[in-house]
Amino acid sequence: MTGTTRTSADLDPRRRRTLYRSWHRGIREMDLIMGRFADAEIGTLTEEELDDFELLIEVPDRDLFRWITDEAETPSNYDTPVYRRLKAFHQHGAPVDL
């Protein structure tokens, strides 16, 4: 089970591959962070944004997780609009209802 809620049937091969890689990173927390964002955004990313997202996929889980949780400073070469969208996608302004 991947966790994805999006079909890849309407995606080109590059976006299918990127969606798959988003959900198969290594640690479940990063699968959820990257995969949920990809489910929501993969179809609307421009080619340049997709380039930036694919670069983020290459970052080791531990490093990317620390950037997203503000435990470490994000290097300037990764602090792109796509990274900021990814980070904002997972921020909540109120408690999460369970």
Side-chain angles (χ1 to χ4, degrees):
M1 180 176 132
T2 65
T4 188
T5 58
R6 186 194 200 293
T7 179
S8 62
D10 63 332
L11 298 176
D12 61 74
R14 180 182 182 196
R15 290 172 197 279
R16 284 182 187 176
R17 182 175 52 252
T18 302
L19 180 63
Y20 178 87
R21 292 180 64 212
S22 298
W23 278 105
H24 295 86
R25 292 193 45 90
I27 64 170
R28 187 64 178 154
E29 292 83 357
M30 290 310 299
D31 290 351
L32 293 169
I33 289 170
M34 299 296 282
R36 286 181 176 170
F37 177 80
D39 277 358
E41 303 289 333
I42 196 78
T44 62
L45 294 175
T46 67
E47 293 300 313
E48 293 78 21
E49 290 170 333
L50 193 55
D51 291 341
D52 289 343
F53 188 66
E54 288 173 333
L55 287 176
L56 290 172
I57 288 174
E58 297 300 326
V59 174
D61 286 338
R62 177 180 25 175
D63 295 338
L64 186 55
F65 187 79
R66 291 180 71 213
W67 302 343
I68 290 172
T69 59
D70 293 324
E71 292 179 37
E73 187 173 332
T74 305
S76 61
N77 57 318
Y78 289 103
D79 191 11
T80 64
V82 170
Y83 167 77
R84 290 189 294 278
R85 279 173 58 191
L86 169 68
K87 190 171 178 178
F89 184 81
H90 293 288
Q91 291 179 343
H92 302 281
V96 176
D97 292 329
L98 298 176

